[in-house]
Amino acid sequence: MGDEVNSTYVVLGGHVEADKYRLLYFLIILTIYILILCSNSVIVYLILIHQNLHEPMYIFIASLLLNSVLWSTVIYPKLLIDFLSEKQIISYSACLLQFHMFYSIGGSEFLLLAAMAYDRYVSICKPLKYSVIMSKTTVSILLILAWILPASQVAVPAGLSANKKLCSFILKGVFCNNTIYKLQCVVSRAQIIHDMVILINVALLPVLFILFTYSRILIITYRSSREVRKKAAQTCLPHLVVLINFSFLCAFDVITVQLDSDFPKTLRLIMTLQLIMYHPLFNPIMYGLKMKEISKHLKRLFFPAKQI
């Protein structure tokens, strides 16, 4: 039964007039993918080579941007192949792998943002203990947990789905997300509960933690000097904007599955492309422009003549 399911091919039915606009789709997605790789990699490179950026805050930013590259790589190469293919298909086993990688890396995004929030909290609220609390060991542990915890938890529903009987072979999307549940004949209550637990662990709890830490930062900085408030705003605002942006996109990913056939196919494709295009480009722009030290190194890299 398991071998039969795993050898099954699924049609990616979310494409709109792929034959007619094949080359246009390919060029747009290829351009966006190159921009994502370049923009994120440049900032990661700057953080690696400059000693003054070897601080926990910038290490977390580099990890977040690397996470965006990984997240995009899970989707874009397959998407580019599909636009050049006559049929947009994927094996069910490969679909489950993409499903696993998409949500485990997405979960890592929330946990990395939570780690960044904790770093800002310690820096602003406990500055005298910062170097002790945010040691290299602490940073390493937080990074490892951010990548391992979601991957290990999402592996369970992916593994359970491998042997599920399929009653449909047309996926209403251009890549494998939680719409794969619509292919299965039966989705058990235990599976739904387990997915809700994962959602709480890797998304809801980190978001609540982030909101709590930033509320504490807001209360403490409100009582402090203007300089402290300015510093807090410069370092915390980009993180909050990225969190809000990513949270809305993830909420859309969940909602579209519930709407199912009531959601227009063209609109679904447009919104899906927003999810995979907008956020990976938004992060480097936000951190590159709003983080003072990173912005300074970017100007030196691209406009060296003006620094003389």
Side-chain angles (χ1 to χ4, degrees):
M1 176 63 187
D3 293 337
E4 182 183 339
V5 170
N6 290 335
S7 63
T8 299
Y9 280 86
V10 175
V11 176
L12 297 168
H15 293 271
V16 177
E17 298 191 66
D19 292 335
K20 186 177 181 181
Y21 300 107
R22 177 178 297 164
L23 185 59
L24 178 62
Y25 284 150
F26 178 84
L27 291 175
I28 291 173
I29 295 300
L30 179 62
T31 302
I32 295 295
Y33 186 43
I34 292 172
L35 286 174
I36 289 170
L37 293 178
C38 293
S39 59
N40 285 279
S41 299
V42 164
I43 297 180
V44 172
Y45 169 74
L46 289 175
I47 292 172
L48 287 175
I49 66 170
H50 291 289
Q51 192 67 35
N52 69 321
L53 298 182
H54 292 181
E55 298 177 8
M57 177 176 66
Y58 298 110
I59 292 171
F60 287 131
I61 289 174
S63 300
L64 194 72
L65 298 181
L66 178 60
N67 205 62
S68 293
V69 171
L70 294 173
W71 197 59
S72 301
T73 303
V74 169
I75 301 166
Y76 278 80
K78 171 59 178 159
L79 204 56
L80 290 170
I81 292 171
D82 286 338
F83 286 135
L84 295 181
S85 304
E86 292 184 5
K87 294 181 179 180
Q88 291 76 43
I89 59 174
I90 185 172
S91 69
Y92 186 59
S93 56
C95 191
L96 288 175
L97 177 62
Q98 190 178 54
F99 163 85
H100 174 263
M101 296 298 293
F102 179 75
Y103 286 110
S104 60
I105 296 173
S108 296
E109 188 97 0
F110 282 111
L111 293 178
L112 286 170
L113 287 169
M116 293 165 76
Y118 178 67
D119 172 72
R120 292 300 83 208
Y121 170 76
V122 176
S123 174
I124 295 168
C125 303
K126 299 181 179 181
L128 298 178
K129 297 181 179 179
Y130 181 77
S131 59
V132 176
I133 297 174
M134 296 305 297
S135 63
K136 289 183 178 180
T137 302
T138 302
V139 173
S140 299
I141 291 172
L142 290 174
L143 290 176
I144 291 169
L145 289 176
W147 276 307
I148 288 181
L149 283 179
S152 59
Q153 291 190 64
V154 179
V156 176
L160 292 174
S161 296
N163 295 316
K164 291 282 187 177
K165 184 180 179 181
L166 305 182
C167 287
S168 175
F169 301 94
I170 300 177
L171 192 76
K172 294 181 180 179
V174 293
F175 64 92
C176 298
N177 56 1
N178 54 14
T179 50
I180 63 169
Y181 292 138
K182 297 294 180 180
L183 304 178
Q184 298 171 9
C185 299
V186 178
V187 179
S188 66
R189 182 177 296 180
Q191 190 172 352
I192 295 172
I193 293 173
H194 188 271
D195 286 354
M196 290 300 295
V197 171
I198 295 173
L199 183 64
I200 292 170
N201 287 342
V202 302
L204 183 59
L205 288 180
V207 168
L208 292 176
F209 175 78
I210 292 167
L211 295 177
F212 170 76
T213 53
Y214 282 129
S215 65
R216 293 293 301 163
I217 291 172
L218 182 63
I219 291 170
I220 291 174
T221 53
Y222 180 75
R223 300 170 182 169
S224 304
S225 65
R226 184 178 179 181
E227 185 179 344
V228 173
R229 289 197 296 270
K230 184 179 179 181
K231 178 188 174 184
Q234 285 177 342
T235 58
C236 295
L237 187 61
H239 304 329
L240 279 175
V241 174
V242 168
L243 171 67
I244 293 168
N245 171 65
F246 190 64
S247 297
F248 274 114
L249 292 173
C250 290
F252 162 77
D253 180 67
V254 175
I255 291 169
T256 49
V257 177
Q258 302 303 319
L259 293 175
D260 197 24
S261 58
D262 296 332
F263 211 73
K265 187 177 180 180
T266 303
L267 184 58
R268 182 191 291 268
L269 175 62
I270 292 171
M271 292 302 293
T272 300
L273 292 178
Q274 291 264 347
L275 172 66
I276 63 174
M277 291 166 58
Y278 178 61
H279 181 68
L281 283 175
F282 181 77
N283 281 1
I285 292 172
M286 177 57 64
Y287 291 117
L289 297 179
K290 295 299 181 181
M291 301 300 288
K292 185 178 178 181
E293 288 299 317
I294 295 176
S295 178
K296 184 170 65 177
H297 287 298
L298 279 172
K299 289 176 183 177
R300 287 177 181 172
L301 179 65
F302 291 107
F303 308 104
K306 294 184 179 181
Q307 306 299 322
I308 299 175

